[in-house]
Amino acid sequence: MPNDLQTKLEKYERKAAQYEKAAQQAPDGPQRAFYQGLALYCDELATKFREVMAKRSGASLAAE
């Protein structure tokens, strides 16, 4: 399971970076805002995966 979480974390980090790059290249306006929103969403998902992984690693350390 931890590998699955790590894989998903990396996926969302990669997507956030791609959308941020697309936002920088997009003209001002709705298109830029759209890509910025996607980048923020993916970054938030990555943050949540990091939090879950930290909790799980903390729980496994406490069980030892």
Side-chain angles (χ1 to χ4, degrees):
M1 179 79 90
N3 285 339
D4 187 43
L5 292 175
Q6 183 65 35
T7 301
K8 289 182 180 185
L9 169 63
E10 291 168 1
K11 171 186 168 183
Y12 288 114
E13 287 174 333
R14 191 170 44 254
K15 283 184 172 279
Q18 290 170 344
Y19 289 136
E20 187 59 40
K21 184 176 179 181
Q24 292 171 357
Q25 294 173 351
D28 287 335
Q31 190 175 13
R32 180 174 282 189
F34 174 74
Y35 285 119
Q36 287 173 331
L38 286 174
L40 180 62
Y41 176 72
C42 289
D43 188 52
E44 289 172 352
L45 285 173
T47 298
K48 293 204 183 289
F49 275 99
R50 281 187 215 99
E51 290 171 357
V52 168
M53 290 171 65
K55 285 181 184 177
R56 288 191 179 185
S57 68
S60 66
L61 291 176
E64 294 176 358

